[in-house]
Amino acid sequence: MPLPPAPMKRASFLSPDAIDAPARGAHRGSPRTGDRSSDRRTAGKDGTLELLDRHASEVGAGQKARAKILQAPVPVQQEEVRLPATARVDVPASEPSLRQPAKSARKRSTTTGDADPIVEPQSSQRQKRTRSGGPVKLFVLDTNVLLHDPMCLFRFEEHDIFLPMIVLEELDAHKKGTTEVARNGRQSSRMLDALAAAQGADIGKGLKLDSTGHKEAGGRLFFQTSPLDYSLPTSLPQGKADNQILGVVQALRDRHAVEAPGHPKRQVVLVSKDINMRVKARALGLDADDYQNDKTLEDGDLLYAGSLALPPDFWTRQSKTVESWQSGSNTFYRISGPLVPGLYINQFVYFEAPGEPSMYARVTEIRESTAVLKTLKDYSSAKNAVWGVTTRNREQNFAMNLLMDPEVDFVTLTGTAGTGKTLMALASGLTQVLDDRRYTEIIMTRATVSVGEDIGFLPGTEEEKMGPWMGALDDNLEFLAKGDGGGAGEWGRAATNELIRSKIKIKSMNFMRGRTFMNKYVIIDEAQNLTPKQMKTLITRAGPGTKIICMGNIAQIDTPYLTEGSSGLTYAVDRFKGWPHGGHITLARGERSRLADFASDVL
């Protein structure tokens, strides 16, 4: 019995009617270029083929997705069957992993008589536009967007980008220097040069943004190559660069307001990081928006907290399916249910209910619909004190479990002032450096961003220059070095202080590039003032056996160009959640003093 014909594409199989069709093969004694109409497959009365989605049988309820194709001659001799332009495979909504854009095809006419039409796959740019489903927009970029993110040209998916000539002039003015803005300006200029130098580039028709390998960008880049006619209110100075950009946006809006040859009707939007620029644009009736791609979160309240309260009926639901076992001093629970898909590795869960024993655990394993919880070590007890420090609340105990775990390489701690971030990080670091000998030394750094006016250059060596920025280190070391109430005497306290300081190195972030820290305990304080790029630079310094602690309060950002959503600390917390060797905790309660706690609430 001959085998049925092979499927026409990966995501499909033949209909039952096509199984009885004869097997494919070339006629003996006849060339492959012979008569093609004599031995075509007969899949239906009208000569059409029907393809069934191969996942349709798994969906159930008898719902089978079908893709109908138009009548097209299918040569017997060819091993590959090409689809006409209207072929489309619909994936059921119940299969989210399969909701991918169907690869459509388009026909290209030939002049070779009765030969079959050549079908070539659709371009990646067309696939991008088909996937979004909306009209293609034209985004006019302000200079500050390019200076903020040189890769912004490739962040607009299938939409087109327009650069006014004044933007290129401002880029040229900002390219000198060693600041972050100057580096971004030079990088943006190199990106533009690479796009213009690509093979087949035509500035008049627009530069293809995917010509340099960035396949996620499906639009085109247009430059202002001719003067545009616009009229702005007389109250706006005509020579100012911002107003010239607004004039370009107004002219483009008027040009694309109606359908015209070479200028399709579409929306023109100004993208700027300048708030006043966006306000002026909206006052003129122009569409304006902020550059959102650098924001990890829209709202700081959506930031991953690292802990989750179990519902009051948790044990009632889990009473029949929960598994538990003992390993050393820890108890493990294997749970299932609707709660599991929302959990992350190293996330802390707790159960607190009146009249019932409390449970504090950490997620150590997630497999399909089950998760394993591991109970925690109680660092609030004096017998488990870390360098004389005991935790005072639930979140501090969670944080100390992460800090003391040798399998956790990266820890992020966020919280308001006085929640104990620096004290716990230093106490666990000293214990693991001096007592456990797990790390060789502690390296501490922070972003040197002042709250008020800068006091000027500081004298001395690198550590002496960093001294005024490390007041928090001195305060916490004074607390940690006081010992057991002074029983060791003045000489003993001085020796302890000297020993502690010999194991702590203070480094500046400006000289971190190219370094590799091996077996070090690295503390990055005030990390909320770091950009995502600076955060990446610091974290990638870690070598074998190194642990990095990032601490900060995202409500106290002193850098003028960062927000809670675009801070490097927020970026790290969001990217590392769920990593088996990383953990995060948001400390909720201040333990500094009743005065500090009250001031944090009312001021």
Side-chain angles (χ1 to χ4, degrees), residues 276-549:
N276 293 330
M277 180 82 159
R278 299 199 300 267
V279 171
K280 288 195 295 184
R282 294 187 180 105
L284 295 174
L286 306 175
D287 294 329
D289 200 358
D290 188 11
Y291 180 65
Q292 304 285 345
N293 192 268
D294 63 325
K295 294 183 179 179
T296 306
L297 297 174
E298 290 293 334
D299 189 356
D301 295 335
L302 302 176
L303 184 65
Y304 172 63
S307 60
L308 176 68
L310 297 176
D313 59 345
F314 173 73
W315 291 118
T316 305
R317 293 182 180 180
Q318 295 289 333
S319 59
K320 296 182 180 180
T321 59
V322 67
E323 302 177 32
S324 64
W325 65 92
Q326 194 82 15
S327 178
S329 60
N330 299 106
T331 304
F332 293 83
Y333 300 94
R334 179 175 281 111
I335 64 172
S336 60
L339 185 69
V340 173
L343 297 178
Y344 295 97
I345 296 292
N346 285 335
Q347 184 178 16
F348 292 91
V349 295
Y350 60 92
F351 177 81
E352 294 177 342
E356 297 187 26
S358 300
M359 191 269 289
Y360 306 96
R362 183 172 63 175
V363 180
T364 59
E365 180 184 307
I366 297 177
R367 288 188 179 181
E368 297 179 354
S369 60
T370 63
V372 176
L373 309 181
K374 176 185 177 181
T375 57
L376 307 178
K377 188 174 182 179
D378 185 16
Y379 287 99
S380 62
S381 175
K383 66 178 182 180
N384 295 328
V386 179
W387 203 264
V389 175
T390 57
T391 58
R392 297 186 179 182
N393 57 55
R394 179 181 60 230
E395 285 77 18
Q396 284 188 351
N397 192 49
F398 293 164
M400 194 63 80
N401 275 270
L402 288 175
L403 294 171
M404 295 298 295
D405 190 349
E407 294 298 321
V408 177
D409 300 332
F410 182 72
V411 180
T412 51
L413 302 176
T414 60
T416 58
T419 51
K421 301 184 296 294
T422 307
L423 180 63
M424 289 191 299
L426 274 176
S428 61
L430 290 173
T431 299
Q432 296 175 85
V433 169
L434 296 175
D435 294 346
D436 303 338
R437 304 296 178 89
R438 189 174 295 155
Y439 309 102
T440 57
E441 64 181 3
I442 299 174
I443 295 179
M444 194 165 186
T445 185
R446 59 163 288 176
T448 54
V449 180
S450 57
V451 177
E453 293 293 331
D454 198 351
I455 61 175
F457 292 100
L458 299 172
T461 62
E462 179 185 356
E463 290 207 9
E464 291 173 345
K465 290 177 182 292
M466 291 294 295
W469 301 101
M470 290 299 174
L473 172 64
D474 298 331
D475 298 339
N476 287 279
L477 286 181
E478 181 181 353
F479 175 81
L480 294 172
K482 67 182 181 181
D484 56 353
E490 192 68 26
W491 289 98
R493 287 196 298 272
T496 303
N497 243 334
E498 191 66 27
L499 176 63
I500 291 176
R501 289 193 172 275
S502 68
K503 292 296 183 179
I504 299 178
K505 296 294 187 294
I506 301 173
K507 300 297 181 182
S508 173
M509 288 176 43
N510 299 340
F511 311 107
M512 291 293 185
R513 182 80 70 181
R515 296 198 61 181
T516 300
F517 298 126
M518 303 181 66
N519 296 317
K520 299 292 192 295
Y521 187 91
V522 183
I523 299 176
I524 304 174
D525 202 5
E526 303 296 333
Q528 76 275 4
N529 290 321
L530 300 177
T531 65
K533 185 181 294 185
Q534 291 172 329
M535 181 65 74
K536 179 180 179 180
T537 301
L538 291 177
I539 297 176
T540 52
R541 302 304 99 207
T546 292
K547 185 167 189 167
I548 295 183
I549 317 297

Side-chain angles (χ1 to χ4, degrees), residues 258-277:
V258 295
E259 189 78 23
H263 303 292
K265 181 180 180 181
R266 56 178 167 175
Q267 184 182 4
V268 179
V269 182
L270 170 67
V271 181
S272 175
K273 298 292 294 181
D274 188 352
I275 298 177
N276 293 330
M277 180 82 159

